[in-house]
């Protein structure tokens, strides 16, 4: 069922690995009960669409996510008028029509309608006046999930992440999924492709920080809606490089690594148990992987349907909107990445 929001600028926006046993633990972090208590957000899955190939991939991914979550889908496209042109147009009586820019955006939404022909769920189309990133941030407070392509129209050749995809995860009031500019990220057309389950797990990068626990909750909800398992991953960066220069230290360094792996496995057992206690029906496994967090998650993303991270973890500057791991992962991942805000 498709519906339309009034095509009027009614909302002006501002610019291998073993499975770990579950152990219960007390936690002051967000729980499944907290999520259930929150009022539903009417926009459901919100996707930005500008007609570009990458936006089309994001549109299909969002439609599929809305189907599995049982949520409405909201497609939004926005337009602005450059200041120099805007001042000229405003001198005419019918400037409220927003002229060619508005008409072009209406055509873009018509393209989205064509792409979603036959979609079984509820779809609403919104035309907004304002900067694309600002519009998405503004509307994100009424959405369960925001989805954008990694690049859209206007992104210059060779750029990995467009301005909207770069800005939205750090400012949105809901989790944001960035669909990368790769063929692997595309979802097939038609209702059958949208409703076909993906058996690959949902992978969540964690470090036992409050941010990563919130990401784990969102990852668990996603995994349940898709009927798949959740994999929590902790990364162990290289401890030293001394063995490269002093081979006789290799055995000692390896012992240090193993000790740290054992310690992280204990922490991971707690995290697995914490999430398992809240979602008893979910299959959860935890793994410790050696390597830098970005490299570990990037490598694992190729075997996952979605990679989930928090905006920041331990070690991040308090003033940073996005931590180094989430920022770098968005730049290099070849499959969709979800960034979960610290508070929504």
């Amino acid at each position: 069922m498709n519906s339309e929001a009034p095509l009027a600028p009614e909302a002006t926006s501002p610019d291998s690995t073993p499975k770990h046993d579950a152990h219960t633990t007390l936690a002051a972090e967000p729980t499944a009960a907290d999520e259930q208590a929150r009022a539903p957000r009417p926009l459901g899955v919100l996707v930005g669409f500008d007609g570009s190939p990458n936006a089309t991939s994001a549109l299909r991914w969002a439609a599929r996510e809305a189907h599995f979550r049982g949520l409405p889908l909201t497609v939004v496209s926005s337009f602005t008028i450059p200041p120099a042109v805007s001042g000229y147009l405003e001198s005419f009586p019918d400037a409220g029509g927003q002229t060619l820019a508005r008409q072009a955006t209406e055509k873009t939404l018509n393209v989205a309608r064509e792409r979603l022909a036959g979609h079984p769920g509820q779809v609403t189309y919104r035309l907004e006046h304002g900067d694309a990133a600002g519009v998405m941030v503004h509307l994100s407070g009424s959405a369960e999930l925001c989805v954008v392509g990694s690049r859209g129209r206007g992104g210059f050749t060779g750029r990995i992440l467009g301005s909207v995809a770069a800005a939205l995860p750090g400012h949105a009031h809901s989790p944001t999924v960035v669909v990368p500019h790769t063929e692997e990220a595309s979802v097939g057309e038609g209702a059958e492709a949208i409703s076909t389950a993906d058996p690959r797990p949902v992978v969540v990068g964690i470090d036992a920080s409050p941010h990563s626990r919130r990401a784990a909750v969102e990852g668990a909800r996603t995994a349940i809606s898709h009927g798949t398992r959740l994999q929590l991953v902790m990364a162990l960066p290289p401890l030293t490089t001394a063995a490269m220069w002093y081979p006789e230290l290799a055995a000692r360094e390896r012992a240090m690594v193993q000790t740290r792996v054992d310690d992280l496995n204990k922490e991971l057992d707690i995290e697995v148990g914490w999430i398992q206690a809240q979602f008893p029906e979910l299959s959860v496994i935890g793994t410790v992987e050696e390597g830098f967090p970005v490299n570990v998650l990037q490598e694992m993303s190729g075997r996952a349907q979605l990679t989930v991270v928090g905006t920041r973890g331990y070690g991040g500057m308090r003033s940073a909107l996005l931590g180094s791991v989430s920022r770098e992962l968005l730049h290099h991942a070849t499959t969709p990445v979800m960034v979960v805000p610290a508070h929504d």
Side-chain angles (χ1 to χ4, degrees), residues 33-63:
D34 295 334
E35 293 295 330
Q36 292 170 357
R38 178 170 60 76
R41 295 180 172 183
L43 299 185
V45 177
L46 173 70
V47 57
F49 185 74
D50 64 2
S52 66
N54 199 192
T56 299
S57 293
L59 180 70
R60 293 172 182 159
W61 192 96

Side-chain angles (χ1 to χ4, degrees), residues 21 44 53 94 119 125 171 251 288:
D21 295 329
D94 66 342
H119 177 65
Y125 300 88
H171 294 84
V288 174

Side-chain angles (χ1 to χ4, degrees), residues 65 98 104 236 295:
E65 192 66 17
Q98 302 300 332
L236 174 62
N295 296 338

Side-chain angles (χ1 to χ4, degrees), residues 10 37 66 69 71 114 151 155 158 164 198 236-237 278 301 308:
E10 58 186 30
R69 292 190 181 215
L71 294 173
E114 294 173 2
R151 287 195 296 119
V164 177
D198 187 340
L236 174 62
Q278 299 178 68
S301 68
V308 184

Side-chain angles (χ1 to χ4, degrees), residues 4-12 77 79 96 98 102 106 109 125-129:
E4 281 190 45
L7 293 182
E10 58 186 30
T12 302
S77 192
F79 69 95
Q98 302 300 332
R102 177 184 175 83
E106 290 175 351
L109 283 177
Y125 300 88
R126 295 182 65 113
L127 187 154
E128 300 286 341
H129 177 214

Side-chain angles (χ1 to χ4, degrees), residues 149-335:
S150 59
R151 287 195 296 119
R153 297 196 188 281
F156 55 85
T157 301
R159 182 168 183 167
I160 297 174
L161 210 60
S163 59
V164 177
L168 186 59
H171 294 84
H173 306 292
S174 67
T176 299
V177 173
V178 176
V179 180
H181 189 66
T182 62
E183 287 297 323
E184 292 81 4
S186 299
V187 175
E189 296 188 45
E192 182 178 352
I194 288 176
S195 61
T196 300
D198 187 340
R200 293 177 298 173
V202 172
V203 169
V204 182
I206 63 170
D207 60 5
S209 69
H211 295 308
S212 72
R213 281 198 166 183
R214 186 174 290 273
V217 169
E218 192 62 39
R221 295 174 63 209
T222 304
I224 289 174
S225 67
H226 285 261
T228 190
R229 66 191 184 281
L230 181 71
Q231 184 169 1
L232 305 182
V233 179
M234 276 189 172
L236 174 62
L239 299 183
T240 72
T241 57
M244 295 176 57
W245 304 100
Y246 305 99
E248 65 275 12
L249 298 180
R252 181 185 301 176
E253 183 170 305
R254 189 62 217 171
M256 293 171 59
V257 169
Q258 188 57 53
T259 297
R260 183 57 181 147
V261 168
D262 293 341
D263 291 341
L264 288 181
N265 273 316
K266 292 177 182 178
E267 293 182 25
L268 189 57
D269 279 339
I270 295 174
E271 298 303 311
V272 169
W274 183 82
I275 201 71
Q276 187 78 80
Q278 299 178 68
F279 301 93
E281 71 277 31
L282 180 63
S283 173
V284 186
I285 62 174
T287 60
V288 174
E289 303 288 342
E290 293 184 38
F292 292 105
V294 170
N295 296 338
V296 167
L297 291 174
Q298 183 180 356
E299 193 276 330
M300 297 192 73
S301 68
R303 305 191 299 272
Q305 61 173 285
L306 179 68
T307 304
V308 184
V309 292
T311 49
R312 291 189 294 114
Y314 285 132
M317 295 184 298
R318 291 185 179 273
S319 60
L321 293 174
L322 279 183
S324 59
V325 174
S326 53
R327 183 178 61 251
E328 291 301 313
L329 188 60
L330 288 174
H331 276 279
H332 299 292
T334 57
T335 53

